[in-house]
Amino acid sequence: DGGLRCRVRVATAARAAARDAATLRGACDVLVITPGRLERLLGDGTVSLRAATDVVLDEVDGLALADGGAALAPLRDLEARFVFVTATLPRTLEKTLRAEFPGLEVLKGPGLHRAPPGLDVRLVDCTPDASGESPDPTFSRKARALLTALGAGAPARALVFCNTIEGCRRAENALRRADR
């Protein structure tokens, strides 16, 4: 009763690194952090994971494949329990991760991205074409596709996934401008 009684801290690229460093000066029981910020704060000595007993990583397939797994490198020598969560994990990559992280627990499931009955899912491919257009025209195309998808059938509620914080902000701004 009375909650978890743990000290939780968060550190993401959405906040200034100096603010994260100040937040993390004291001890914490749970650290919620993005891979890039973890790499930076480990590199400059702001964060130490020597006392970590559990490490949970979401979307580990992307982390392991990006830059040869550079984001995972600082974790390899930890004596912690690892839980990797992912919807997709090729067998060869899982085998490699199990070899590098003894005792690894992997949470995955074929139905993780399956939509429940009655939910209308609209996937929009906004991949840039081969012309090498700049990111702004690419985002403009994404915003138009989002507005078109939301306008067709005008859902009472919608959930829009974006890969980055910046993408979330830009999508929100585009929707607010369209709502004027």
Side-chain angles (χ1 to χ4, degrees), residues 120-124 141-155 157-158 160 175:
D120 180 24
V121 177
R122 299 175 190 174
L123 301 177
V124 180
R141 188 172 57 245
K142 289 178 183 180
R144 282 192 309 273
L146 175 60
L147 293 172
T148 300
L150 292 176
R157 292 193 173 109
V160 177
L175 291 168

Side-chain angles (χ1 to χ4, degrees), residues 21 24-25 38-50:
L24 296 171
R25 281 201 183 94
L38 177 62
E39 188 174 22
R40 178 176 178 178
L41 294 177
L42 283 171
D44 70 13
T46 301
V47 169
S48 169
L49 297 177
R50 285 188 307 266

Side-chain angles (χ1 to χ4, degrees), residues 78-166:
L78 292 179
E79 292 188 24
R81 181 178 67 147
F82 290 93
V83 178
F84 290 172
V85 182
T86 183
T88 57
L89 188 62
R91 284 191 180 125
T92 55
L93 181 55
E94 182 176 347
K95 186 176 179 179
T96 300
L97 290 172
R98 286 187 185 283
E100 292 179 13
F101 297 92
L104 170 66
E105 293 181 43
V106 177
L107 302 179
K108 61 181 180 174
L112 197 57
H113 287 282
R114 201 172 294 151
L119 179 67
D120 180 24
V121 177
R122 299 175 190 174
L123 301 177
V124 180
D125 182 5
C126 296
T127 307
D129 60 24
S131 69
E133 67 183 341
S134 69
D136 286 324
T138 299
F139 180 77
S140 295
R141 188 172 57 245
K142 289 178 183 180
R144 282 192 309 273
L146 175 60
L147 293 172
T148 300
L150 292 176
R157 292 193 173 109
L159 177 62
V160 177
F161 285 100
C162 300
N163 288 336
T164 64
I165 294 167
E166 179 63 23

